[in-house]
Structures are given as structure tokens and as C-alpha cells.
Amino acid sequence: MPDQPAPATPMPGVLLCEADGPPVRTERDALDLIGDAWYHRAHLVAIPAGRLHEDFWRLSTRVAGEIIQKFANYRIKVAVIGDISEYVASSGALRDWVREANRGDELWFLPDLEALRARLPDEPAATNL
């Protein structure tokens, strides 16, 4: 049997979404993740940037606002994990939104899981999804 990669180190109260999962494009997709977070008693969902549909990064589509608002309605925090430099380089509005979001506590855009770990308090173990 080939070596299996070690699972990500759990993080307190966090639902870690796999990079190769279904794309997140609609409010329904957000609700699916919110349901998983509630089931696993997670207060934050970490979504790989690559799972977010291209429309998310074009603020004029309103996809990002609809998805993030859905999480806010259910009081579930969101961390987008990965390199988004290509997107912020092409949109001043997106760059400003990312900067403001990172100053708050409900939505973060972070380069990697280590940056997420640095922002989290110690709580019950995370769940991988």
C-alpha cells in the first residue's frame, strides 16, 4: 500500500475544506459548508482559494457578497486560504475588501494554514472535510 499523506494538523473549532472538493459558487454551496460546520461544531470554515469560483473574485457579480453574507447570517467565520495575489492585483476594490476583511474577525484571506493557526485561540479540535 502506498504511503498516505499525513492529515493536516487539526486546528481548534475549524472545518478544513479539502483543496479538491466541489467548487463554491452559490449560496447553496455556502449552505452545504455551513451545514457541515454545524455538524462538526466548527465556528470557522477554511476554504482553499482554488475552490472559490472565478465569479467570487469579480465583485461586480455579487457572488462573494452573497456567499460571505450567508456565512455571517449563521455566525460562521470564513478563512480563504491560498495565494490570491493575481486577483487582488487586477482589482483595487477587491484589494481594499481583502485588506478590510483581514482587519476584522469574521473573514480572513490568508496565505496558508500556518497564518490561520497564528490567528486562532485554543478551542476544541478541528475537523477535516
Side-chain angles (χ1 to χ4, degrees), residues 4-23:
Q4 301 257 344
T9 303
M11 284 182 269
V14 176
L15 180 68
L16 300 172
C17 298
E18 296 293 330
D20 61 351

Side-chain angles (χ1 to χ4, degrees), residues 80-114:
V80 176
I81 308 298
D83 180 12
I84 62 168
S85 58
E86 175 185 335
Y87 300 113
V88 297
S90 64
S91 171
L94 180 61
R95 183 175 47 254
D96 292 344
W97 184 50
V98 167
R99 184 178 53 248
E100 288 301 316
N102 283 340
R103 290 180 181 165
D105 291 328
E106 304 302 316
L107 170 64
W108 299 323
F109 294 87
L110 302 169
D112 53 40
L113 291 177
E114 288 307 313

